[in-house]
Amino acid sequence: MAEDLALMDEDEVHADRVEAILDAVEAKDAARVTELLEPLHAADIADLLEQIGGADRRALLALWSGEIDGEILSEIDESIREEVIESLPASVVAEAMRELDTDDVVDILEDLDLPQQGLILDALEDADRVAVQQAMGFPEESAGRLMQREVVVAPEHWTVGEAIDYLRETPHLPDQFYHVILTDPRMKPTGYVTLGRLLSSRREVRLKDILEDSFRTVPATESEADVAYMFNQYHLISTPVVDATGRLVGVITIDDAMNVLDEEHEQDMLRLAGVGDDSSLSDGVWATAKQRLPWLVVNLFTASISAFVISRFESTIASLVTLAALMPIVASTGGIAGTQSLAVAVRALATRSLTSANAKRVVLRELVGGLLNGLALACLLGLAGTLIFGDWKLGLVLGAAMITNQLVAAMGGVLVPLGLHRLDLDPALASGTFVTTLTDVLGYLAFLGLATMVLL
């Protein structure tokens, strides 16, 4: 309860702050805007820009554009980042880009059109521009795009003392790094040392003697999803990236890998709901409608299949009007059960917990679980149908249809995403539509078919 109250208080404070900022913007009081925004973290400022409307956002940026830095731009959701950059003076954007590591610059450039990319590249220092252009040369959503070029490297024959002296004397170290990477004379990584072990070891200790067991490299062409899985699976905090010859070209840190995981999870949720990969609260009305309409049209056609099945039993429904009121119960309960199985299966496939090695066991588990739930629901619904309508046969039909549809839902919820995965299709993309159609059609078919055989 205390935590809930604290969250409520925090939300109220945030709402009051946003209102005060918008009032200051309307009054064109730049000093007041700065006073309100100065204490906020870059991520909170980015959230604020995403939450307010487009007109308010442009007015705020016009008044406060000189304070926008690279960290804020990197935190802004990609759905409005281009709009924000277009609203800022070129000099502000240029200065902001110079503050960022190459991986953050690449992340921003990926979402911009070519003219804006050119303006940002021209603003970078020569070395940074070359590094960013090289990273942009790698495939989209690859390790080469995700990595940062700023790397702390040491020869493998150095001692701890030599490494520490080097770090102290180097004027430009990355803002965040976790390892000193050891390389051979051909710049191929041979291991790495954590900063903790480096600082806790005696100066004469050789770096080769305090290497971490977790060391592994990633090809620059490796997919971002595979890199994120590797970080999560092996509890990495950073890993070197190598080119086709095995030479060191960059490093990926845990914050970037976890961002990929978050994006993957978000995309799965949005795809399961059928609202598109890039849906956001900051989207306009037209963009929102355009993203959702295709799957609504698909659902319209799949619902027509259910309507066709129902139409085949017109005479049965006409004879027992009660069936019209009861049949949505069976179909909707099956739909919920299917969605439950589907969510677990899609998540397991995304985290690679569900594989061909354990697929048979998982399918069997879902089948038995569906049967048990079906029996429990059948007892409840069958008893209710018998008591309310005074017809034990109707109760029997309801119970049998419920068991059937729970089995279908459990099997469909796991087999549909597995089948799409085997076809190299995204399991989250169309699984929901297929499973819902399956449970609706077979639910109506089972209920009305059994009713025709038993009750008429």
Side-chain angles (χ1 to χ4, degrees):
M1 178 64 75
E3 291 180 358
D4 291 341
L5 290 174
L7 288 173
M8 288 173 62
D9 291 342
E10 188 176 328
D11 288 342
E12 290 173 2
V13 169
H14 176 71
D16 291 342
R17 184 184 293 271
V18 171
E19 185 177 351
I21 290 171
L22 293 180
D23 288 342
V25 170
E26 187 176 357
K28 295 185 174 8
D29 187 347
R32 177 61 175 160
V33 171
T34 300
E35 179 187 345
L36 291 167
L37 290 176
E38 189 91 35
L40 299 183
H41 188 275
D44 294 324
I45 296 174
D47 284 344
L48 185 145
L49 290 171
E50 294 163 19
Q51 291 166 11
I52 62 179
D56 290 331
R57 184 161 52 241
R58 288 187 291 273
L60 172 58
L61 291 172
L63 197 64
W64 202 66
S65 62
E67 305 298 326
I68 299 292
D69 59 21
E71 190 175 357
I72 294 173
L73 287 182
S74 69
E75 293 285 353
I76 291 174
D77 190 87
E78 58 193 41
S79 61
I80 65 164
R81 187 183 286 154
E82 185 171 358
E83 174 198 331
V84 169
I85 289 177
E86 286 178 347
S87 302
L88 296 174
S91 58
V92 172
V93 176
E95 184 60 32
M97 290 298 104
R98 293 191 193 103
E99 299 171 0
L100 295 175
D101 290 333
T102 52
D103 59 325
D104 294 321
V105 177
V106 170
D107 183 52
I108 291 174
L109 286 181
E110 286 179 324
D111 302 317
L112 303 179
D113 55 27
L114 290 177
Q116 285 187 315
Q117 288 183 1
L119 290 174
I120 289 175
L121 286 171
D122 290 342
L124 299 176
E125 301 291 338
D126 291 343
D128 290 338
R129 185 186 311 115
V130 171
V132 169
Q133 288 175 328
Q134 289 176 342
M136 293 292 286
F138 290 107
E140 291 186 13
E141 299 184 351
S142 67
R145 292 282 187 100
L146 191 64
M147 70 181 181
Q148 65 181 55
R149 306 285 293 211
E150 296 82 8
V151 185
V152 179
V153 181
E156 56 185 349
H157 60 79
W158 271 10
T159 63
V160 167
E162 289 174 309
I164 291 176
D165 292 341
Y166 167 75
L167 293 176
R168 287 173 176 168
E169 294 167 3
T170 301
H172 301 296
L173 290 173
D175 290 336
Q176 290 185 353
F177 70 99
Y178 310 100
H179 291 118
V180 174
I181 301 173
L182 306 191
T183 60
D184 65 14
R186 294 169 297 176
M187 278 302 291
K188 294 185 176 182
T190 58
Y192 53 42
V193 177
T194 64
L195 295 181
R197 293 197 72 177
L198 182 72
L199 295 175
S200 62
S201 300
R202 300 177 65 83
R203 288 183 60 87
E204 63 271 15
V205 173
R206 296 187 307 168
L207 294 180
K208 291 173 64 174
D209 295 334
I210 54 173
L211 295 178
E212 288 295 305
D213 296 335
S214 62
F215 173 75
R216 59 188 66 228
T217 60
V218 174
T221 53
E222 190 81 23
S223 74
E224 287 184 353
D226 289 339
V227 172
Y229 168 78
M230 187 178 75
F231 268 78
N232 192 48
Q233 179 74 5
Y234 302 113
H235 311 294
L236 304 179
I237 55 174
S238 75
T239 191
V241 180
V242 296
D243 62 15
T245 64
R247 291 167 57 89
L248 179 68
V249 292
V251 65
I252 295 174
T253 53
I254 188 170
D255 56 327
D256 293 318
M258 292 305 101
N259 284 339
V260 172
L261 272 184
D262 288 341
E263 290 172 5
E264 291 282 325
H265 296 164
E266 182 180 339
Q267 284 182 358
D268 284 346
M269 290 176 62
L270 293 173
R271 287 173 176 176
L272 278 171
V275 294
D277 292 356
D278 303 319
S279 294
S280 169
L281 287 176
S282 58
D283 290 341
V285 174
W286 172 246
T288 300
K290 186 172 65 173
Q291 288 167 348
R292 299 179 185 182
L293 183 60
W295 283 111
L296 291 174
V297 172
V298 171
N299 282 323
L300 185 64
F301 282 106
T302 56
S304 299
I305 299 174
S306 299
F308 174 77
V309 170
I310 294 171
S311 69
R312 298 298 90 191
F313 295 94
E314 284 183 5
S315 58
T316 302
I317 297 172
S319 301
L320 292 167
V321 180
T322 305
L323 297 178
L326 294 174
M327 61 186 185
I329 298 175
V330 177
S332 64
T333 308
I336 293 172
T339 301
Q340 291 173 334
S341 294
L342 177 63
V344 173
V346 169
R347 181 75 185 95
L349 285 168
T351 58
R352 306 187 189 184
S353 303
L354 177 55
T355 65
S356 56
N358 66 351
K360 187 179 295 185
R361 179 177 59 81
V362 173
V363 171
L364 182 61
R365 186 199 70 174
E366 291 296 325
L367 181 62
V368 174
L371 176 61
L372 293 175
N373 284 335
L375 288 170
L377 292 170
C379 291
L380 291 173
L381 190 58
L383 182 61
T386 302
L387 294 176
I388 294 172
F389 298 101
D391 188 346
W392 67 269
K393 290 184 178 179
L394 179 59
L396 179 64
V397 168
L398 281 169
M402 182 61 73
I403 293 172
T404 302
N405 209 21
Q406 287 296 308
L407 289 172
V408 168
M411 295 298 291
V414 67
L415 289 178
V416 168
L418 267 175
L420 291 174
H421 182 69
R422 291 284 176 85
L423 296 172
D424 288 330
L425 299 173
D426 189 340
L429 188 59
S431 295
T433 300
F434 289 145
V435 172
T436 302
T437 302
L438 195 63
T439 54
D440 282 352
V441 170
L442 294 183
Y444 290 132
L445 187 62
F447 180 56
L448 295 175
L450 287 169
T452 301
M453 290 186 292
V454 177
L455 301 178
L456 297 183

